[in-house]
Amino acid sequence: MTNACIRVLATGGTIAGRGAGGTGRAYAPGQVSIDEMAAEIRALGIPVELRAKAIAAIGSQDIGWREWDELHDAILATENAPDIHGIVITHGTDTAEETAFLLDLTLPATKPVVLVGAMRPADAVGSDGMRNFANAVRVARDPDAAGRGVMVVMGDQVFAASDVRKARTTNVDAFRGFPRGPLGNVTPSSLDWFGPPDKLNRTARLRWPHALPQVDIVAAYAGMNPGVVDALLNGGARGLVLAGMGQGNAPAAVLDALATAVRSGVPVVRASRVDQGYVDRNLEIDDDALGFVAARSFNPPKARVLLQLLIANGLSEIAEMQEHFDRR
Ligand code: GLU
């Protein structure tokens, strides 16, 4: 393989974390510079040229519009740089699925874009960061990686942005795919795809907006206070996602409040607080009558990202919105 050139965009997270003192637990994310990480990759003898840019040095719980806008811009700029083969984004794991999905929905699938993080800081015993980073570089420089949309590389596996979710708080094997499992297995020296690219020549599905509207998540639980819906609407929510029980359920008074929100022009998507499974239309709840959208395979954080983009793109018809939640 020739020396591919990879654009590396750093945002922070545990992959750049330090301070655990080898065996300690406490550490600060975003401490290791991207230049230090690139130097380690060079020292490993991996045949790649890394062009690094620091976008931020934060824990991904603090990521938001400024960083997303910069990432999107920086990736789009590589479209006109024929020498750049792919893009690697270093990112905290807490919200990696949100950033990956947001970019996946708004970028053409021309060059591989790979998000990577770590569960253990750089100076911890058994740190997974440099291995994950080397794996991400392995994916981004692979000739067969383009046309698969944005991907997340963690724990020697490659996931599609639409499938990936963080499923464990501390274990290095922290990520899962739903409804699909991984797209492939990767190590620093090997890469096995389980099938051909499914998004070859795909253009951006939704336009990158000037800003993202406020969309809030309503967490459902037994005995919940239905007043939370009005509180969110009064706080400026322009869309709501229900993190419902089971198949996207909520107590009757909450469903009433959500249906009232729909009638006042605020779209509502029903998702589930359950880790895996579909939320389909019109099973226990009459979505057609109440005007809800069903999140299908998307969990609440991803349903929120998609709803934000749909609102920002001026899409408000329920059938049209549902079609976007049905697609993958
Ligand atoms: N909470 C931090 C973040 O998401 C650190 C956790 C991690 O990267 O795994 O950036």
Side-chain angles (χ1 to χ4, degrees), residues 183-251:
L183 301 179
N185 286 337
V186 60
T187 72
S189 58
S190 69
L191 175 54
D192 288 307
W193 296 110
F194 299 156
D198 59 345
K199 299 185 176 93
L200 271 178
N201 304 319
R202 190 201 62 181
T203 53
R205 187 162 136 191
L206 291 162
R207 183 181 47 80
W208 186 250
H210 299 298
L212 286 170
Q214 181 183 331
V215 169
D216 291 310
I217 297 178
V218 180
Y221 46 91
M224 73 182 284
N225 168 15
V228 74
V229 173
D230 280 342
L232 292 171
L233 294 173
N234 291 336
R238 293 188 45 212
L240 292 173
V241 171
L242 173 68
M245 305 129 164
Q247 240 263 358
N249 275 319

Short mmCIF file of all heavy atoms in Angstrom, two decimals, residues 183-251:
data_model
loop_
_atom_site.label_atom_id
_atom_site.label_comp_id
_atom_site.label_asym_id
_atom_site.label_seq_id
_atom_site.Cartn_x
_atom_site.Cartn_y
_atom_site.Cartn_z
N LEU A 183 -19.40 -3.44 10.51
CA LEU A 183 -19.19 -3.57 9.06
C LEU A 183 -17.95 -4.40 8.78
O LEU A 183 -17.77 -4.91 7.68
CB LEU A 183 -18.96 -2.19 8.42
CG LEU A 183 -20.04 -1.13 8.57
CD1 LEU A 183 -19.58 0.16 7.89
CD2 LEU A 183 -21.33 -1.63 7.95
N GLY A 184 -17.06 -4.48 9.79
CA GLY A 184 -15.82 -5.22 9.58
C GLY A 184 -15.01 -5.30 10.85
O GLY A 184 -15.35 -4.68 11.87
N ASN A 185 -13.95 -6.08 10.79
CA ASN A 185 -12.99 -6.20 11.89
C ASN A 185 -11.69 -5.55 11.46
O ASN A 185 -11.29 -5.67 10.30
CB ASN A 185 -12.73 -7.67 12.23
CG ASN A 185 -13.90 -8.31 12.97
OD1 ASN A 185 -14.70 -7.61 13.59
ND2 ASN A 185 -14.01 -9.61 12.88
N VAL A 186 -11.02 -4.92 12.41
CA VAL A 186 -9.77 -4.23 12.05
C VAL A 186 -8.74 -4.40 13.17
O VAL A 186 -9.09 -4.44 14.36
CB VAL A 186 -10.04 -2.72 11.77
CG1 VAL A 186 -10.63 -2.01 12.97
CG2 VAL A 186 -8.78 -2.02 11.30
N THR A 187 -7.49 -4.54 12.77
CA THR A 187 -6.36 -4.43 13.69
C THR A 187 -5.37 -3.50 12.98
O THR A 187 -5.57 -3.17 11.81
CB THR A 187 -5.68 -5.79 13.95
OG1 THR A 187 -4.95 -6.18 12.77
CG2 THR A 187 -6.68 -6.88 14.33
N PRO A 188 -4.29 -3.09 13.64
CA PRO A 188 -3.36 -2.21 12.93
C PRO A 188 -2.78 -2.84 11.65
O PRO A 188 -2.33 -2.15 10.75
CB PRO A 188 -2.26 -1.96 13.97
CG PRO A 188 -2.99 -2.09 15.28
CD PRO A 188 -3.97 -3.19 15.07
N SER A 189 -2.82 -4.17 11.54
CA SER A 189 -2.22 -4.81 10.37
C SER A 189 -3.22 -5.58 9.51
O SER A 189 -2.84 -6.21 8.53
CB SER A 189 -1.10 -5.76 10.82
OG SER A 189 -1.66 -6.71 11.71
N SER A 190 -4.50 -5.56 9.86
CA SER A 190 -5.46 -6.31 9.03
C SER A 190 -6.81 -5.61 9.03
O SER A 190 -7.14 -4.88 9.98
CB SER A 190 -5.64 -7.73 9.59
OG SER A 190 -6.32 -7.66 10.83
N LEU A 191 -7.57 -5.84 7.97
CA LEU A 191 -8.91 -5.24 7.86
C LEU A 191 -9.78 -6.18 7.04
O LEU A 191 -9.46 -6.52 5.90
CB LEU A 191 -8.81 -3.87 7.17
CG LEU A 191 -10.11 -3.15 6.86
CD1 LEU A 191 -11.00 -2.99 8.08
CD2 LEU A 191 -9.81 -1.77 6.26
N ASP A 192 -10.88 -6.64 7.64
CA ASP A 192 -11.80 -7.54 6.93
C ASP A 192 -13.18 -6.89 6.89
O ASP A 192 -13.83 -6.73 7.92
CB ASP A 192 -11.93 -8.88 7.68
CG ASP A 192 -10.68 -9.72 7.54
OD1 ASP A 192 -10.25 -9.94 6.40
OD2 ASP A 192 -10.13 -10.11 8.58
N TRP A 193 -13.60 -6.53 5.69
CA TRP A 193 -14.96 -6.01 5.51
C TRP A 193 -15.90 -7.19 5.38
O TRP A 193 -15.57 -8.18 4.71
CB TRP A 193 -15.03 -5.14 4.24
CG TRP A 193 -14.18 -3.91 4.30
CD1 TRP A 193 -13.04 -3.66 3.57
CD2 TRP A 193 -14.41 -2.73 5.08
NE1 TRP A 193 -12.55 -2.41 3.87
CE2 TRP A 193 -13.36 -1.81 4.79
CE3 TRP A 193 -15.39 -2.36 6.01
CZ2 TRP A 193 -13.28 -0.55 5.39
CZ3 TRP A 193 -15.30 -1.11 6.60
CH2 TRP A 193 -14.26 -0.23 6.29
N PHE A 194 -17.10 -7.07 5.96
CA PHE A 194 -18.06 -8.17 5.88
C PHE A 194 -18.95 -8.08 4.63
O PHE A 194 -19.80 -8.94 4.42
CB PHE A 194 -18.94 -8.22 7.13
CG PHE A 194 -18.15 -8.43 8.40
CD1 PHE A 194 -18.66 -8.03 9.62
CD2 PHE A 194 -16.91 -9.04 8.37
CE1 PHE A 194 -17.94 -8.23 10.80
CE2 PHE A 194 -16.18 -9.24 9.54
CZ PHE A 194 -16.70 -8.83 10.76
N GLY A 195 -18.82 -6.99 3.88
CA GLY A 195 -19.62 -6.84 2.66
C GLY A 195 -19.11 -5.65 1.89
O GLY A 195 -18.24 -4.91 2.37
N PRO A 196 -19.63 -5.43 0.67
CA PRO A 196 -19.18 -4.29 -0.14
C PRO A 196 -19.76 -2.97 0.40
O PRO A 196 -20.73 -2.99 1.16
CB PRO A 196 -19.75 -4.60 -1.53
CG PRO A 196 -20.93 -5.47 -1.26
CD PRO A 196 -20.66 -6.23 0.01
N PRO A 197 -19.19 -1.83 -0.01
CA PRO A 197 -19.75 -0.53 0.41
C PRO A 197 -21.20 -0.41 -0.04
O PRO A 197 -21.52 -0.81 -1.15
CB PRO A 197 -18.87 0.50 -0.32
CG PRO A 197 -17.67 -0.24 -0.78
CD PRO A 197 -18.03 -1.68 -0.88
N ASP A 198 -22.06 0.12 0.82
CA ASP A 198 -23.49 0.23 0.46
C ASP A 198 -23.90 1.67 0.15
O ASP A 198 -25.07 1.93 -0.08
CB ASP A 198 -24.36 -0.34 1.59
CG ASP A 198 -24.14 0.39 2.91
OD1 ASP A 198 -23.13 1.12 3.02
OD2 ASP A 198 -24.97 0.25 3.83
N LYS A 199 -22.92 2.61 0.17
CA LYS A 199 -23.31 4.00 -0.08
C LYS A 199 -22.43 4.63 -1.16
O LYS A 199 -22.20 5.84 -1.14
CB LYS A 199 -23.17 4.81 1.22
CG LYS A 199 -24.07 4.31 2.34
CD LYS A 199 -24.00 5.19 3.57
CE LYS A 199 -24.98 4.74 4.63
NZ LYS A 199 -24.40 3.82 5.61
N LEU A 200 -21.94 3.82 -2.08
CA LEU A 200 -21.04 4.34 -3.11
C LEU A 200 -21.70 5.48 -3.88
O LEU A 200 -22.87 5.35 -4.28
CB LEU A 200 -20.66 3.22 -4.09
CG LEU A 200 -19.43 2.39 -3.71
CD1 LEU A 200 -19.21 1.30 -4.76
CD2 LEU A 200 -18.18 3.25 -3.57
N ASN A 201 -20.97 6.57 -4.08
CA ASN A 201 -21.44 7.75 -4.83
C ASN A 201 -22.66 8.43 -4.21
O ASN A 201 -23.34 9.20 -4.87
CB ASN A 201 -21.77 7.38 -6.29
CG ASN A 201 -20.59 6.75 -6.97
OD1 ASN A 201 -19.45 7.21 -6.77
ND2 ASN A 201 -20.82 5.70 -7.74
N ARG A 202 -22.97 8.13 -2.96
CA ARG A 202 -24.11 8.79 -2.31
C ARG A 202 -23.79 10.26 -2.04
O ARG A 202 -22.72 10.59 -1.55
CB ARG A 202 -24.43 8.08 -0.98
CG ARG A 202 -25.74 8.53 -0.36
CD ARG A 202 -25.77 8.23 1.12
NE ARG A 202 -24.71 8.94 1.83
CZ ARG A 202 -24.49 8.84 3.13
NH1 ARG A 202 -25.23 8.06 3.85
NH2 ARG A 202 -23.51 9.52 3.71
N THR A 203 -24.72 11.12 -2.39
CA THR A 203 -24.53 12.55 -2.09
C THR A 203 -25.05 12.83 -0.68
O THR A 203 -25.70 11.98 -0.07
CB THR A 203 -25.31 13.43 -3.10
OG1 THR A 203 -26.65 12.97 -3.10
CG2 THR A 203 -24.73 13.31 -4.50
N ALA A 204 -24.80 14.05 -0.18
CA ALA A 204 -25.28 14.40 1.16
C ALA A 204 -26.80 14.28 1.20
O ALA A 204 -27.48 14.78 0.31
CB ALA A 204 -24.84 15.80 1.52
N ARG A 205 -27.32 13.63 2.24
CA ARG A 205 -28.78 13.42 2.30
C ARG A 205 -29.51 14.69 2.72
O ARG A 205 -30.61 14.97 2.27
CB ARG A 205 -29.02 12.32 3.31
CG ARG A 205 -30.42 11.85 3.38
CD ARG A 205 -30.41 10.50 4.07
NE ARG A 205 -31.48 10.44 5.04
CZ ARG A 205 -31.62 9.48 5.93
NH1 ARG A 205 -30.72 8.52 6.00
NH2 ARG A 205 -32.63 9.47 6.75
N LEU A 206 -28.93 15.46 3.62
CA LEU A 206 -29.58 16.68 4.09
C LEU A 206 -28.58 17.83 4.05
O LEU A 206 -27.37 17.62 4.22
CB LEU A 206 -30.10 16.47 5.52
CG LEU A 206 -31.29 15.51 5.64
CD1 LEU A 206 -31.45 15.01 7.08
CD2 LEU A 206 -32.57 16.18 5.17
N ARG A 207 -29.09 19.02 3.82
CA ARG A 207 -28.24 20.21 3.72
C ARG A 207 -27.69 20.58 5.10
O ARG A 207 -28.40 20.48 6.10
CB ARG A 207 -29.13 21.35 3.17
CG ARG A 207 -28.47 22.66 2.92
CD ARG A 207 -29.51 23.67 2.40
NE ARG A 207 -30.75 23.69 3.17
CZ ARG A 207 -30.92 24.32 4.33
NH1 ARG A 207 -29.93 25.00 4.87
NH2 ARG A 207 -32.08 24.28 4.95
N TRP A 208 -26.41 21.01 5.11
CA TRP A 208 -25.82 21.49 6.36
C TRP A 208 -26.47 22.82 6.73
O TRP A 208 -26.46 23.76 5.92
CB TRP A 208 -24.31 21.64 6.22
CG TRP A 208 -23.65 21.98 7.53
CD1 TRP A 208 -23.07 23.16 7.86
CD2 TRP A 208 -23.50 21.11 8.67
NE1 TRP A 208 -22.58 23.10 9.14
CE2 TRP A 208 -22.83 21.85 9.67
CE3 TRP A 208 -23.88 19.81 8.95
CZ2 TRP A 208 -22.53 21.31 10.93
CZ3 TRP A 208 -23.59 19.27 10.19
CH2 TRP A 208 -22.92 20.03 11.16
N PRO A 209 -27.05 22.94 7.91
CA PRO A 209 -27.81 24.16 8.23
C PRO A 209 -26.92 25.31 8.74
O PRO A 209 -25.73 25.12 8.98
CB PRO A 209 -28.74 23.68 9.34
CG PRO A 209 -28.00 22.58 10.00
CD PRO A 209 -27.07 21.95 8.99
N HIS A 210 -27.52 26.48 8.93
CA HIS A 210 -26.79 27.61 9.52
C HIS A 210 -26.76 27.49 11.05
O HIS A 210 -25.95 28.10 11.72
CB HIS A 210 -27.44 28.93 9.12
CG HIS A 210 -27.42 29.14 7.64
ND1 HIS A 210 -26.25 29.24 6.93
CD2 HIS A 210 -28.43 29.23 6.74
CE1 HIS A 210 -26.53 29.38 5.66
NE2 HIS A 210 -27.84 29.37 5.51
N ALA A 211 -27.70 26.73 11.58
CA ALA A 211 -27.76 26.49 13.02
C ALA A 211 -28.66 25.28 13.23
O ALA A 211 -29.39 24.89 12.31
CB ALA A 211 -28.36 27.72 13.73
N LEU A 212 -28.61 24.70 14.43
CA LEU A 212 -29.50 23.57 14.72
C LEU A 212 -30.57 24.03 15.70
O LEU A 212 -30.27 24.67 16.71
CB LEU A 212 -28.71 22.41 15.33
CG LEU A 212 -27.83 21.63 14.35
CD1 LEU A 212 -26.90 20.68 15.09
CD2 LEU A 212 -28.67 20.87 13.33
N PRO A 213 -31.84 23.71 15.42
CA PRO A 213 -32.92 24.15 16.32
C PRO A 213 -32.89 23.38 17.63
O PRO A 213 -32.34 22.28 17.71
CB PRO A 213 -34.18 23.80 15.53
CG PRO A 213 -33.78 22.67 14.65
CD PRO A 213 -32.33 22.90 14.30
N GLN A 214 -33.50 23.96 18.65
CA GLN A 214 -33.59 23.28 19.95
C GLN A 214 -34.60 22.12 19.87
O GLN A 214 -35.77 22.33 19.59
CB GLN A 214 -34.04 24.27 21.02
CG GLN A 214 -34.11 23.64 22.41
CD GLN A 214 -34.62 24.62 23.47
OE1 GLN A 214 -34.42 25.83 23.36
NE2 GLN A 214 -35.29 24.08 24.47
N VAL A 215 -34.09 20.93 20.06
CA VAL A 215 -34.96 19.74 20.14
C VAL A 215 -34.61 19.05 21.46
O VAL A 215 -33.43 18.81 21.74
CB VAL A 215 -34.72 18.79 18.95
CG1 VAL A 215 -35.40 17.45 19.17
CG2 VAL A 215 -35.23 19.42 17.65
N ASP A 216 -35.61 18.78 22.27
CA ASP A 216 -35.36 18.19 23.58
C ASP A 216 -35.87 16.76 23.65
O ASP A 216 -36.75 16.36 22.88
CB ASP A 216 -36.02 19.05 24.68
CG ASP A 216 -35.32 20.39 24.82
OD1 ASP A 216 -34.08 20.40 24.94
OD2 ASP A 216 -36.02 21.44 24.78
N ILE A 217 -35.28 16.02 24.59
CA ILE A 217 -35.67 14.62 24.79
C ILE A 217 -36.50 14.51 26.07
O ILE A 217 -36.09 15.01 27.13
CB ILE A 217 -34.42 13.72 24.87
CG1 ILE A 217 -33.66 13.77 23.53
CG2 ILE A 217 -34.81 12.28 25.21
CD1 ILE A 217 -32.37 12.98 23.50
N VAL A 218 -37.66 13.87 25.95
CA VAL A 218 -38.54 13.66 27.10
C VAL A 218 -38.32 12.24 27.59
O VAL A 218 -38.62 11.28 26.88
CB VAL A 218 -40.02 13.83 26.68
CG1 VAL A 218 -40.94 13.61 27.88
CG2 VAL A 218 -40.27 15.19 26.04
N ALA A 219 -37.76 12.10 28.78
CA ALA A 219 -37.51 10.76 29.33
C ALA A 219 -38.77 10.23 29.99
O ALA A 219 -39.33 10.88 30.87
CB ALA A 219 -36.37 10.83 30.34
N ALA A 220 -39.22 9.04 29.57
CA ALA A 220 -40.43 8.45 30.14
C ALA A 220 -40.07 7.49 31.27
O ALA A 220 -39.08 6.77 31.20
CB ALA A 220 -41.20 7.70 29.06
N TYR A 221 -40.88 7.50 32.32
CA TYR A 221 -40.70 6.58 33.44
C TYR A 221 -42.05 6.44 34.15
O TYR A 221 -42.92 7.31 34.00
CB TYR A 221 -39.62 7.09 34.42
CG TYR A 221 -39.75 8.55 34.76
CD1 TYR A 221 -40.50 8.95 35.86
CD2 TYR A 221 -39.16 9.53 33.95
CE1 TYR A 221 -40.66 10.30 36.15
CE2 TYR A 221 -39.31 10.89 34.24
CZ TYR A 221 -40.06 11.26 35.35
OH TYR A 221 -40.21 12.58 35.63
N ALA A 222 -42.18 5.35 34.89
CA ALA A 222 -43.45 5.10 35.57
C ALA A 222 -43.75 6.25 36.53
O ALA A 222 -42.87 6.71 37.26
CB ALA A 222 -43.38 3.79 36.35
N GLY A 223 -44.95 6.76 36.48
CA GLY A 223 -45.37 7.83 37.39
C GLY A 223 -44.80 9.18 37.02
O GLY A 223 -44.74 10.09 37.85
N MET A 224 -44.40 9.35 35.75
CA MET A 224 -43.75 10.62 35.36
C MET A 224 -44.72 11.80 35.41
O MET A 224 -45.94 11.64 35.30
CB MET A 224 -43.11 10.50 33.98
CG MET A 224 -44.08 10.48 32.83
SD MET A 224 -43.25 10.28 31.24
CE MET A 224 -42.57 11.91 30.96
N ASN A 225 -44.13 12.96 35.53
CA ASN A 225 -44.89 14.20 35.59
C ASN A 225 -45.14 14.71 34.17
O ASN A 225 -44.19 15.10 33.49
CB ASN A 225 -44.07 15.21 36.40
CG ASN A 225 -44.61 16.63 36.29
OD1 ASN A 225 -45.73 16.84 35.84
ND2 ASN A 225 -43.79 17.59 36.70
N PRO A 226 -46.40 14.72 33.69
CA PRO A 226 -46.67 15.16 32.32
C PRO A 226 -46.32 16.63 32.09
O PRO A 226 -46.15 17.07 30.95
CB PRO A 226 -48.16 14.90 32.12
CG PRO A 226 -48.73 14.60 33.46
CD PRO A 226 -47.62 14.31 34.41
N GLY A 227 -46.18 17.38 33.18
CA GLY A 227 -45.85 18.81 33.07
C GLY A 227 -44.51 19.05 32.41
O GLY A 227 -44.22 20.16 31.94
N VAL A 228 -43.68 18.03 32.32
CA VAL A 228 -42.36 18.19 31.72
C VAL A 228 -42.47 18.60 30.25
O VAL A 228 -41.64 19.36 29.73
CB VAL A 228 -41.50 16.91 31.93
CG1 VAL A 228 -41.95 15.77 31.03
CG2 VAL A 228 -40.04 17.18 31.72
N VAL A 229 -43.52 18.13 29.57
CA VAL A 229 -43.67 18.45 28.14
C VAL A 229 -43.89 19.96 27.98
O VAL A 229 -43.21 20.62 27.18
CB VAL A 229 -44.84 17.65 27.51
CG1 VAL A 229 -45.11 18.11 26.08
CG2 VAL A 229 -44.53 16.16 27.55
N ASP A 230 -44.80 20.52 28.77
CA ASP A 230 -45.05 21.97 28.69
C ASP A 230 -43.82 22.76 29.11
O ASP A 230 -43.52 23.81 28.54
CB ASP A 230 -46.25 22.36 29.56
CG ASP A 230 -47.56 22.05 28.85
OD1 ASP A 230 -47.51 21.88 27.61
OD2 ASP A 230 -48.60 21.94 29.53
N ALA A 231 -43.10 22.24 30.10
CA ALA A 231 -41.89 22.96 30.56
C ALA A 231 -40.88 23.06 29.41
O ALA A 231 -40.25 24.10 29.20
CB ALA A 231 -41.28 22.24 31.76
N LEU A 232 -40.74 21.98 28.65
CA LEU A 232 -39.79 22.00 27.53
C LEU A 232 -40.28 22.93 26.41
O LEU A 232 -39.49 23.68 25.82
CB LEU A 232 -39.57 20.58 26.98
CG LEU A 232 -38.84 19.64 27.95
CD1 LEU A 232 -38.85 18.21 27.44
CD2 LEU A 232 -37.40 20.12 28.18
N LEU A 233 -41.60 22.90 26.16
CA LEU A 233 -42.13 23.79 25.11
C LEU A 233 -41.97 25.25 25.53
O LEU A 233 -41.55 26.10 24.73
CB LEU A 233 -43.60 23.47 24.84
CG LEU A 233 -43.87 22.08 24.24
CD1 LEU A 233 -45.36 21.80 24.18
CD2 LEU A 233 -43.25 21.96 22.84
N ASN A 234 -42.24 25.53 26.80
CA ASN A 234 -42.06 26.91 27.29
C ASN A 234 -40.60 27.31 27.26
O ASN A 234 -40.27 28.49 27.18
CB ASN A 234 -42.63 27.06 28.71
CG ASN A 234 -44.14 26.95 28.71
OD1 ASN A 234 -44.79 27.21 27.69
ND2 ASN A 234 -44.72 26.52 29.83
N GLY A 235 -39.71 26.33 27.34
CA GLY A 235 -38.27 26.61 27.28
C GLY A 235 -37.75 26.78 25.87
O GLY A 235 -36.54 26.94 25.68
N GLY A 236 -38.63 26.65 24.88
CA GLY A 236 -38.22 26.96 23.50
C GLY A 236 -38.04 25.77 22.59
O GLY A 236 -37.53 25.92 21.46
N ALA A 237 -38.46 24.57 23.01
CA ALA A 237 -38.28 23.39 22.15
C ALA A 237 -39.05 23.55 20.85
O ALA A 237 -40.23 23.90 20.86
CB ALA A 237 -38.74 22.14 22.88
N ARG A 238 -38.38 23.28 19.74
CA ARG A 238 -39.05 23.33 18.42
C ARG A 238 -39.35 21.92 17.90
O ARG A 238 -39.92 21.75 16.84
CB ARG A 238 -38.21 24.12 17.44
CG ARG A 238 -38.16 25.60 17.85
CD ARG A 238 -37.51 26.44 16.80
NE ARG A 238 -37.99 26.13 15.47
CZ ARG A 238 -37.23 26.22 14.38
NH1 ARG A 238 -35.99 26.61 14.48
NH2 ARG A 238 -37.73 25.91 13.20
N GLY A 239 -38.91 20.94 18.66
CA GLY A 239 -39.21 19.54 18.35
C GLY A 239 -38.96 18.74 19.61
O GLY A 239 -38.20 19.16 20.48
N LEU A 240 -39.64 17.57 19.73
CA LEU A 240 -39.46 16.73 20.91
C LEU A 240 -39.23 15.29 20.49
O LEU A 240 -39.85 14.81 19.52
CB LEU A 240 -40.69 16.81 21.82
CG LEU A 240 -40.96 18.15 22.52
CD1 LEU A 240 -42.32 18.11 23.24
CD2 LEU A 240 -39.85 18.50 23.51
N VAL A 241 -38.35 14.61 21.23
CA VAL A 241 -38.16 13.17 21.04
C VAL A 241 -38.55 12.51 22.35
O VAL A 241 -38.06 12.90 23.42
CB VAL A 241 -36.68 12.86 20.70
CG1 VAL A 241 -36.44 11.35 20.72
CG2 VAL A 241 -36.31 13.45 19.35
N LEU A 242 -39.44 11.52 22.25
CA LEU A 242 -39.82 10.77 23.45
C LEU A 242 -38.86 9.59 23.60
O LEU A 242 -38.75 8.77 22.68
CB LEU A 242 -41.26 10.26 23.30
CG LEU A 242 -41.75 9.31 24.39
CD1 LEU A 242 -41.88 10.04 25.74
CD2 LEU A 242 -43.10 8.68 24.00
N ALA A 243 -38.14 9.54 24.74
CA ALA A 243 -37.37 8.34 25.07
C ALA A 243 -38.32 7.47 25.85
O ALA A 243 -38.33 7.44 27.09
CB ALA A 243 -36.14 8.71 25.89
N GLY A 244 -39.20 6.80 25.12
CA GLY A 244 -40.33 6.12 25.73
C GLY A 244 -39.97 4.78 26.34
O GLY A 244 -38.89 4.24 26.14
N MET A 245 -40.92 4.27 27.11
CA MET A 245 -40.76 2.91 27.63
C MET A 245 -41.02 1.94 26.47
O MET A 245 -41.83 2.23 25.58
CB MET A 245 -41.82 2.64 28.70
CG MET A 245 -41.84 3.65 29.82
SD MET A 245 -43.53 4.23 30.04
CE MET A 245 -43.44 4.99 31.64
N GLY A 246 -40.38 0.78 26.54
CA GLY A 246 -40.66 -0.29 25.57
C GLY A 246 -40.69 0.22 24.14
O GLY A 246 -39.74 0.82 23.64
N GLN A 247 -41.83 0.00 23.50
CA GLN A 247 -41.98 0.35 22.08
C GLN A 247 -42.31 1.84 21.90
O GLN A 247 -43.15 2.20 21.08
CB GLN A 247 -43.12 -0.51 21.53
CG GLN A 247 -42.70 -1.40 20.39
CD GLN A 247 -43.03 -0.77 19.04
OE1 GLN A 247 -43.60 0.31 18.94
NE2 GLN A 247 -42.63 -1.44 18.00
N GLY A 248 -41.71 2.71 22.72
CA GLY A 248 -41.95 4.15 22.58
C GLY A 248 -43.21 4.59 23.29
O GLY A 248 -43.92 5.48 22.82
N ASN A 249 -43.48 3.98 24.45
CA ASN A 249 -44.70 4.29 25.21
C ASN A 249 -44.49 5.38 26.24
O ASN A 249 -43.36 5.67 26.64
CB ASN A 249 -45.15 3.03 25.97
CG ASN A 249 -45.99 2.13 25.10
OD1 ASN A 249 -46.83 2.62 24.35
ND2 ASN A 249 -45.77 0.83 25.20
N ALA A 250 -45.60 5.93 26.69
CA ALA A 250 -45.58 6.90 27.79
C ALA A 250 -46.98 6.89 28.41
O ALA A 250 -47.95 6.48 27.76
CB ALA A 250 -45.24 8.29 27.27
N PRO A 251 -47.12 7.35 29.67
CA PRO A 251 -48.45 7.43 30.28
C PRO A 251 -49.40 8.28 29.42
O PRO A 251 -48.95 9.20 28.71
CB PRO A 251 -48.18 8.11 31.63
CG PRO A 251 -46.74 7.85 31.91
CD PRO A 251 -46.06 7.78 30.58
#
